[in-house]
Amino acid sequence: MTGFTPLADTSPDSSDRRETGRLAALVMRWFFRQASIAKVDALSEGFRLITLAGPGLRNVAWKPGQKIQIDVGAGANRTYTPLSWDAVAGEARILAFTHGDGPGAAWVLNARAGDACQFFGPRRSLELEGVDDDLPLLFGDETSFGLAQALSTRLGASGAAVFLFEVSSVEASAQAWRSFGTQRAVFIQRAEADAHLEEVEARMLQILDEWAPTPFVLSGKATSIQRLRRVLGSRGVASSQLRTKVYWAPGKTGLD
């Protein structure tokens, strides 16, 4: 029996697809660093602590708060804020939350020690310079935990911050949070139609009255950030005191 030779793709757009594939491969070689997954720890439901290792992580100038973008397959990248980065040993840790059912969540759930990994960065994301001069308040959700840990790292043992999170599961979030040994945080359970944001607003205004924090770091869901910006603005908080970073929005992908 003779071997079968597949017919060449002669469709009108076949050359465009091949060119796009070659361009993508070049971009991966030029800009993406190579690493492997050294360890995956399941901290609680939905949370995975993933340790990356390899020469591509060595001799890298990383600052807390900077981000990396990981190739998660299916032509998609997902953005993470590393919790820590050892440029000598060539090791970095990210906290991944299985948000939704897209390629990012699939990559997190299927990640195993020994898997190859490609990433781009680190590069600037939300600027944390200067937040160690005052008592900052950080609002976010499960996707903001990496940023919160980066802020804690920047503040150091003598620093203090107020952390306020809207979450899908208070129990799972608190369990993951305790794994880092970071500062105390307030977790508020999400409710239908964002009804829980009334409690978030009340807590934030209470903190504002008791602690007078500044600056305010608002991160996570786009609509939650917009609402809290209005609340803080109504209390006289200037836009110069706000630092915002949208990580996701309902029905949107590719945000970071």
Side-chain angles (χ1 to χ4, degrees), residues 201-213 216 227-238 241:
E201 290 177 10
R203 287 293 189 101
M204 183 166 285
L205 293 177
Q206 180 184 10
I207 292 169
L208 186 62
D209 291 335
E210 294 180 357
W211 295 87
F216 296 85
R227 181 165 170 173
L228 293 177
R229 281 181 67 101
R230 290 194 296 268
V231 170
L232 291 172
S234 69
R235 291 292 298 268
V237 176
Q241 295 179 288

Side-chain angles (χ1 to χ4, degrees), residues 119-142:
F119 69 94
F120 176 62
R123 58 196 181 100
R124 185 173 178 175
S125 182
L126 191 149
E127 185 57 67
L128 293 179
E129 296 290 338
V131 298
D132 46 356
D133 297 333
D134 297 292
L135 172 70
L137 181 149
L138 185 146
F139 165 80
D141 57 23
E142 298 95 336

